[in-house]
Amino acid sequence: MIEVDEHGAVHVVRMAHGKVNALDLELLLALRDAFATRPAAAVVLTGAGRCFSAGVDLRRVLDGGPDYAAAFLPALNAACRAVFEHPRPVVAAVNGHAIAGGCILALAADRRFMAGGTIGVTELAVGVPYPSAPMQVLRSAAGPAAADLALSARTMPPQEARRLGLVDAVVAPDELLERALAEAERLARIPSGTFALTKRQLRRDAVARMDDGRADDESVLAAWTSPGVRAAIAAFFDAL
């Protein structure tokens, strides 16, 4: 479910899990481990096929019940933090739709290039609250736009995402990986200690809020497993 191609100092980590790279427990753990096992590598994060990631596999959440949610939500936090706090450069090559948790993973990167599809955080449209790490990734990346993006739950095409600062450049699909690799290689030439320190300085407040927000994650789990939220998820599928 994770494919890795090594290009010298840059490793391409590709989500390859089903048709839309939906985030389930197994993919999140694999993604966490993919970053943890290459602390010295710059990373290009992308998806296989025509989708970066369509977000959380909500059918698994419904079918798995409370036990699955209790394992899944910490894994979601861990995967987001693995990308967000990776000490070396991370460039997201957004090759297609990046929805909800998929959008958050892209926003956790240092730089983001997008070639097509739509992007946005749709959690509230489904009825689920944000765990601590995804919320702080959104706030860090989107700045003043974070509240509107979260509350409107809208998705947008690449050009609008560029205007809002969610992505750094819109590129042609056949140039996406090449551009992402070039940017990762450029950043990797910065002395590793200098880059890691700068990244910690830029993200210190967000990481501190993630740590402080762990107490809220109990409430998040209670919400995800509540009858009301489970009914909202089921209604979302019924409306498709």
Side-chain angles (χ1 to χ4, degrees), residues 127-209:
V128 297
Y130 290 79
S132 57
M135 174 54 77
Q136 298 311 324
V137 168
L138 175 62
R139 291 181 63 187
S140 177
D148 176 64
L149 292 170
L151 296 175
S152 68
R154 73 183 190 277
T155 60
M156 65 199 72
Q159 292 292 351
E160 184 179 356
R162 172 69 182 89
R163 182 179 61 81
L164 289 176
L166 297 185
V167 299
D168 297 294
V170 178
V171 302
D174 59 353
E175 298 176 0
L176 178 63
L177 188 57
E178 180 182 356
R179 286 284 303 276
L181 282 167
E183 181 66 359
E185 289 166 355
R186 181 187 72 82
L187 293 172
R189 289 194 292 269
I190 300 170
S192 60
T194 299
F195 185 88
L197 176 58
T198 302
K199 188 167 183 174
R200 287 199 304 271
Q201 290 170 325
L202 287 169
R203 301 192 165 188
R204 179 175 292 132
D205 290 347
V207 170
R209 289 194 298 267

Side-chain angles (χ1 to χ4, degrees), residues 74-95:
L76 178 58
N77 276 328
C80 289
R81 295 190 69 156
V83 179
F84 192 72
E85 298 179 62
H86 188 65
R88 301 298 289 136
V90 180
V91 178
V94 183
N95 56 301

Side-chain angles (χ1 to χ4, degrees), residues 3-238:
E3 300 172 350
V4 179
D5 298 321
E6 297 186 9
H7 298 256
V10 179
H11 294 186
V12 176
V13 173
R14 182 178 290 104
M15 295 176 284
H17 190 44
K19 292 183 178 180
V20 294
N21 302 314
L23 304 176
D24 58 15
L25 176 61
E26 294 78 13
L27 178 56
L28 290 171
L29 294 177
L31 188 61
R32 178 202 64 187
D33 292 346
F35 277 81
T37 55
R38 44 189 45 84
V43 173
V44 170
L45 178 63
T46 192
R50 298 193 298 173
C51 191
F52 181 78
S53 172
V56 171
D57 186 341
L58 291 169
R59 292 194 185 278
R60 284 285 303 276
V61 172
L62 283 180
D63 293 343
D67 289 343
Y68 180 81
F72 173 81
L73 291 173
L76 178 58
N77 276 328
C80 289
R81 295 190 69 156
V83 179
F84 192 72
E85 298 179 62
H86 188 65
R88 301 298 289 136
V90 180
V91 178
V94 183
N95 56 301
H97 297 302
I99 306 301
C103 175
I104 295 295
L105 287 177
L107 296 183
D110 302 300
R111 302 282 283 171
R112 297 170 290 278
F113 297 143
M114 189 171 183
T118 58
I119 188 169
V121 284
T122 58
E123 281 79 354
L124 294 193
V126 180
V128 297
Y130 290 79
S132 57
M135 174 54 77
Q136 298 311 324
V137 168
L138 175 62
R139 291 181 63 187
S140 177
D148 176 64
L149 292 170
L151 296 175
S152 68
R154 73 183 190 277
T155 60
M156 65 199 72
Q159 292 292 351
E160 184 179 356
R162 172 69 182 89
R163 182 179 61 81
L164 289 176
L166 297 185
V167 299
D168 297 294
V170 178
V171 302
D174 59 353
E175 298 176 0
L176 178 63
L177 188 57
E178 180 182 356
R179 286 284 303 276
L181 282 167
E183 181 66 359
E185 289 166 355
R186 181 187 72 82
L187 293 172
R189 289 194 292 269
I190 300 170
S192 60
T194 299
F195 185 88
L197 176 58
T198 302
K199 188 167 183 174
R200 287 199 304 271
Q201 290 170 325
L202 287 169
R203 301 192 165 188
R204 179 175 292 132
D205 290 347
V207 170
R209 289 194 298 267
M210 289 178 190
D211 292 338
D212 291 342
R214 285 173 176 163
D216 291 336
D217 284 331
E218 294 183 8
S219 298
V220 172
L221 174 59
W224 277 60
T225 56
S226 68
V229 169
R230 288 178 58 82
I233 296 172
F236 170 79
F237 284 119
D238 289 342

